[in-house]
Amino acid sequence: MTPFRHDDRSGPFTHAPTSVRDTMRLVMLALVPATLFDAALFGWPAIDLFTVTILSCLAVEAGCLWTQGKPVLTTLGDGSAMLTGWLLAMSLPPWAPWWIGVLGAVFAIALAKHLFGGLGQNVFNPAMVARVALLVSFPVPMTAFVPPKPLFTEVAPGFLDSLSITFGHAFQLDGMSAASALGMVKTELSRGIPASQSIETTPDLVHMLVGIRPGSFGETSVILILLGGLWLLHKKVISWRIPVTLMGTLFVLGTLFHGINPEHFTSGLFQVVSGATFLGAFFIATDYVTSPVSRSGQLAYGVGVGGFTWIIRSFAGYPEGMAFAVLLMNALTPLIDRAFRPRTFGRTRSGAPLPQPPRTMP
Amino acid sequence: MKTFHVEGGIHPEYRKERTQENAIVALPMPKILCLPLKQHAGAPAEPVVSSGKRVKKGDLLAKPQGAVSAPIHAPTSGTVVDITDMTAPHPSGLAQKTIVLRPDGKDEWGALPPPIENPFAADPAEIDARVGWAGIVGLGGAAFPSAIKFGLRSKKPDILVLNGAECEPYLTCDDRIMQEHADEVVDGARIMAHALGVSQILIAIETNKPAAIVAMTVAAAGYPAVVVMPIPVQYPMGSEKHLTKAVTGRETPAGKMTADIGVVVHNVATARAVREAVRFGWPLISRVITLSGAGLTRGMNIKVPLGTMVVDLIEFCGGFKDGIAPQRLISGGPMMGHPLPSLDVPVIKGTCGILALTKAEINEQPAGPCIRCGGCVSVCPCGLVPLEMAAFIRHDNLEQAEQIGVRDCVSCGSCSYICPSHIPLVQYFNYAKGKLNAADRDHRKQERLKGLVEGRMARMEKQRKAKAEAAATAAAAKKAQAAATAAAAAAAGTATAAAPPTETPKASA
C-alpha cells in the first residue's frame, strides 16, 4: 500500500483559491453599500421586505433541494439562493407587501432555477423572472414607489409601524406613493406633456447620483452601486465588457434620439443614471449563469441588453425595460455563445488551420 | 528584443522560492539503479545485456528499436542483477521491463566514442548520430528523442528557441542549470544550431528567474546570434507552440509542428546534454531534478543518476516532513505532472521533478455544478470553450466535443486550476482525447483491413480477367489455326478434304 493518495486523476495538483461560495460572497459584499443606503433611505418597511425576500428564497431553495434529494445545507451554503433573494429584493418597490417577496422567491427559485435543473442550469436570470412575473401579475403594488423617508427622521415609520405596512394594510397607495423618474416621464408623455418638460420635475442629477429619489429598493444610489461594481471589477469577479457596452449603448441611443426629438426622448445621461441602469449593468446583466461566456459574446450581449432597455423604455408600455431586456438577451445567450467563440490557437476564426506563412529561406 | 502577446494563461502561486536558491547537489551513488526500457516517447529499447553481466559507466544496456526510440546506457559501473518487470513511474502503476543494476562503487568509465573536436566544423549528420547514440531525449518532460528533432533540418528552420521558461510551479532545475552552467548551455545551443543549420538562437526565460537571465546574458555576450529574451511570467509559457508565438510572433497552424514555421524548440537542459555528448562522448546517464513540496523536509535540486529510486531521493531530502506522508506524490510539475503510484519507482529521463504535496497545496475539492463564470474561457491559451467541451463529454458526445476543438487542447490545466466549481476539466479532455485516439486507431485499422481486402479482391479480379483473356486468346489462336488448316486443306484440293483437322482432338482434350 502506498502511504499517499494514488489514482489516475489528471492534473493540475494545485488550485486557485477560488470557489462558488467566495464568488457569491464577493458579489453580496459589493451590494452592501447600496443596500445600506437604501435601507436607511426607505426605512423599516424596506428592511422588512428585504428580510422576508431573502428568507423566502432560502426556504424555497431548501424545499426544492430537499424534494430532489440533493444536499440541502452545503448547497444553501454556496450563497446563490441568498444572492438571488438579495437581487430580487433590490428590484422590488421598497414598501411592497410581504407576499410580493414570498411569491417572488417562488418564481425565482422554484420556477426559474430549479425547474431548469438548479444552479448553473437556468436559462433566465431568476431574480428578473420573478420581478417581471410580479410586475405583470401585480402591477399596482409593483409600481407603488415611495418618496425617500430616511430612518430616524420624522417622516419615517417606526419599526412597529413598518410591520403593519409590510404585513398589514397600512400602506395607502394614494397618500404615500411617488413615481420613479422614468415612470413620471412615461406618464406625462401619455398625457401629452413632452419629455423635455416633465424632466424638469424629476430629481436633479445630484439627487439621482447620490440616490435620494423614489425607486426600487437598492437601485437608487448610482454612486454606491458603481462603487460596488468597480470593486467587483477590481476583484475580477466581473469584466468591464457587459457593463460598459450596456451603458454605452443606452447612452449612445439616448443621446442620438434625444438630439433628433427631445420632445419624446430623454437624454442619454438621464437614461444612464435613472431606473435600474447601474444595478442592471453591474449586478444583473453580469450574472454568470445567464450571460455569454466568451469575451466577444459578452460585448454583443451588453449591446443587446442596452439596446432592448432603451427600446422598451422609449416605445413600450412599461417605463423601465431593464428586466425585460435582460430576459430577452438571456434567451439569446445560447445562440450568442455559439456564434461568438474565441479564435482557437493555430486556427482561423472559421476553424480552419492557419495558412502556413510564406518563408524566406535563409 | 520584442516579445509577442499570447492569449490566456494563469498566474498560479509559483512556490519556487523553496528551491530557487539551492545549488545543484550530486546524489551519492545509490545502492541500486532500476532502468525501465521505456524512458522516452516511442518504442521501448531492447536490452543488449543479460543478468550477471558486468558493465562500466556509459556502456550500452539497451539499444533503440523502431524509428522513434532511444538507447539506454549504464549510469555507473556495476553488475546487471536482473532484467525484470517492475512498477513504472507512470500513473497506471503497471509493470514494465526494467534493467536492475547494482553499482560497484567504482564509477569507472567504459570505452566512450571520441569527442568531436570542433563541432562547428563537423558534418551535421555526425552530430545527429552522436546525439542519437547518447540516448538524449527532451529533458523538459516530454522525453521525445532529440536526434529526431535534429532531423527537422530538412524543413530548413531559421530559429532555434531554447526553452528556459520553466513555467511549472515548484520546478527550479532548469533555473539552476542556467545559473550554474550558463556557458555550457550556450555552447550546447550553438552546437544544436549548427546541426540544424539555423543562424539565430533565442533563449527564452521567464522574468521570475532574474539570476538565470543575468548568467545566460553574460554567457551569450560573445555571440551575436544568441539572444536572451526575458518573457512574461504566464503559465503555460513553456508550451512549445505558445513559446514560439511569444518570442517569434509566429503562430503554428493547427496540426503542424513549429518546424513547419521555421522554429525548433529545445529545452535548456537538453542543450547541455547535447554538449556533453558531442564534446566528451558522454551518453545521457544522469539529470538534474527538483525535489520540492511542503510535504518534504527540505527542497533540493539534485543531480541524479538515471534509475535512482524515488525513495532514495526522498530520504536524501530528509524524508517526508514530520514523517507524515503527503497527500500526493507527483512526478513533474503540479500543473501537468502525474501522480506516482509508489515510492518504489525510478527516476527516468523525463522526470524533471518529484513533488510531495500536502492537502493545503493541492486544494482539491469536490466538484460542483458549473456556474458558467467563463473563467475557463478567458484563461484557455488555446482559445477553446472548456465548459462547453466538458458538457459534451459528460454526455459522451465526443463528436461534438471534437468539433469544438477538444483535440486542440494541450491539457495545460489552466481551466481546471481556475474553476471555482473545482470541475476536473482536464480529466474530461484527456478522457475524450484518449477515446478519440483509440477510435482513430480502430478506424485506421479498419481502413487498412478494408484496403487489404479490396486489394485482394482487385488482384483476384485481375487474375480472373487475365485467365479469361488468356483463354480467349488461346481460343482465338486455335480458331485462327483451325481456319488456316482448313484453308490449307482446301487449297490442297479435294483429295484431302475428307481428312479431319489434326488439331481438333487435342483442343477438345
Side-chain angles (χ1 to χ4, degrees), chain B residues 144-325:
Chain B
F144 189 80
S146 300
I148 297 174
K149 268 172 114 173
F150 278 54
L152 295 173
R153 173 167 69 238
S154 62
K155 293 194 183 263
K156 303 225 183 302
D158 56 343
I159 297 179
L160 167 65
V161 173
L162 217 53
N163 189 347
E166 202 167 49
C167 61
E168 277 268 10
Y170 294 91
L171 302 186
T172 54
C173 47
D174 288 351
D175 185 3
R176 289 312 305 183
I177 286 175
M178 289 188 285
Q179 285 187 46
E180 298 177 35
H181 305 285
D183 290 324
E184 297 173 22
V185 173
V186 170
D187 190 38
R190 292 179 62 237
I191 294 172
M192 284 173 156
H194 169 69
L196 284 165
V198 308
S199 49
Q200 170 100 70
I201 302 171
L202 303 177
I203 303 179
I205 308 172
E206 279 193 353
T207 50
N208 59 0
K209 292 178 261 298
I213 292 175
V214 169
M216 292 296 287
T217 309
V218 169
Y223 311 105
V226 186
V227 180
V228 174
M229 289 182 74
I231 50 171
V233 181
Q234 175 188 340
Y235 178 86
M237 198 49 106
S239 149
E240 190 177 47
K241 291 177 180 178
H242 294 93
L243 185 68
T244 299
K245 173 95 188 269
V247 297
T248 67
R250 301 179 194 176
E251 187 170 321
T252 316
K256 298 275 183 188
M257 295 185 291
T258 56
D260 291 311
I261 52 166
V263 181
V264 176
V265 184
H266 278 290
N267 172 270
V268 287
T270 313
R272 184 169 173 237
V274 165
R275 171 183 185 266
E276 288 174 349
V278 169
R279 291 213 184 262
F280 309 117
W282 295 350
L284 181 69
I285 51 174
S286 70
R287 66 158 298 151
V288 179
I289 72 173
T290 300
L291 269 94
S292 190
L296 215 53
T297 303
R298 54 176 180 271
M300 301 180 87
N301 295 299
I302 313 178
K303 185 182 174 220
V304 182
L306 296 177
T308 300
M309 298 304 264
V310 170
V311 65
D312 292 336
L313 284 170
I314 303 281
E315 202 174 295
F316 187 63
C317 293
F320 292 133
K321 187 143 194 184
D322 306 323
I324 303 163

Side-chain angles (χ1 to χ4, degrees), chain A residues 211-299:
Chain A
I212 304 174
R213 55 159 164 150
S216 293
F217 172 75
E219 74 174 20
T220 67
S221 176
V222 166
I223 288 178
L224 292 178
I225 292 169
L226 179 65
L227 190 77
L230 290 179
W231 187 68
L232 285 186
L233 275 176
H234 168 71
K235 286 279 176 188
K236 300 205 159 100
V237 173
I238 59 172
S239 84
W240 59 269
R241 291 180 183 83
I242 292 175
V244 168
T245 48
L246 193 164
M247 292 197 285
T249 307
L250 204 50
F251 180 78
V252 169
L253 285 173
T255 308
L256 200 68
F257 282 83
H258 181 67
I260 295 169
N261 182 3
E263 300 291 291
H264 189 269
F265 299 103
T266 51
S267 71
L269 184 66
F270 179 77
Q271 288 285 338
V272 169
V273 297
S274 61
T277 306
F278 267 74
L279 185 67
F282 282 103
F283 290 93
I284 306 283
T286 53
D287 170 38
Y288 286 156
V289 177
T290 55
S291 63
V293 291
S294 75
R295 295 171 199 192
S296 49
Q298 288 169 359
L299 296 176

Side-chain angles (χ1 to χ4, degrees), chain A residues 20 119-121 289, chain B residues 368-374 376 387 394 419 421 423:
Chain A
V20 172
L119 181 62
Q121 300 295 313
V289 177
Chain B
C370 170
I371 56 166
R372 293 176 37 88
C373 69
C376 54
L387 72 141
R394 199 159 44 230
C419 179
S421 295
I423 299 169

Side-chain angles (χ1 to χ4, degrees), chain B residues 4-71:
Chain B
F4 297 82
H5 176 69
V6 176
E7 285 288 334
I10 52 170
H11 300 91
E13 265 187 67
Y14 282 94
R15 298 169 182 158
K16 289 182 189 263
E17 61 289 343
R18 203 185 298 271
T19 52
Q20 199 158 26
E21 304 294 321
N22 302 357
I24 300 168
V25 181
L27 183 78
M29 190 54 68
K31 299 242 169 345
I32 204 88
L33 297 176
C34 300
L35 299 135
L37 294 175
K38 184 165 158 53
Q39 307 199 13
H40 45 260
E46 192 189 337
V48 295
V49 291
S50 50
S51 186
K53 165 103 171 146
R54 285 199 42 81
V55 293
K56 293 207 166 155
K57 186 177 181 177
D59 282 355
L60 186 69
L61 296 182
K63 65 178 188 206
Q65 49 173 2
V68 181
S69 189

Side-chain angles (χ1 to χ4, degrees), chain A residues 2-21 23-24 119-122 237 288-295 298 333-334 337-338 341-347 352-357 359-362, chain B residues 7 15 91 156-157 241-242 251-254 256 260-262 325-330 334-335 337 339-342 357 361-364 369-373 378 382-385 388 404 408 413 416-422 426-427 430:
Chain A
T2 54
F4 35 81
R5 192 183 304 184
H6 171 258
D7 47 42
D8 64 349
R9 180 177 173 267
S10 291
F13 301 99
T14 174
H15 196 283
T18 53
S19 69
V20 172
R21 199 159 112 155
T23 307
M24 300 291 172
L119 181 62
Q121 300 295 313
N122 48 298
V237 173
Y288 286 156
V289 177
T290 55
S291 63
V293 291
S294 75
R295 295 171 199 192
Q298 288 169 359
T333 293
D337 267 341
R338 191 168 294 195
R341 293 178 167 286
R343 183 182 70 83
T344 302
F345 189 91
R347 293 184 185 274
L354 286 179
Q356 207 155 319
R359 296 258 316 282
T360 45
M361 292 301 164
Chain B
E7 285 288 334
R15 298 169 182 158
K156 303 225 183 302
K241 291 177 180 178
H242 294 93
E251 187 170 321
T252 316
K256 298 275 183 188
D260 291 311
I261 52 166
Q327 188 177 35
R328 280 183 190 276
L329 196 66
I330 304 293
M335 294 300 298
L340 284 175
S342 108
L357 301 180
E361 287 174 292
I362 296 174
N363 187 18
E364 188 177 337
C370 170
I371 56 166
R372 293 176 37 88
C373 69
S378 54
C382 298
L384 300 170
V385 185
E388 208 177 335
I404 60 169
D408 288 303
S416 303
Y417 174 82
I418 209 81
C419 179
S421 295
H422 290 255
V426 178
Q427 182 90 24
N430 285 346

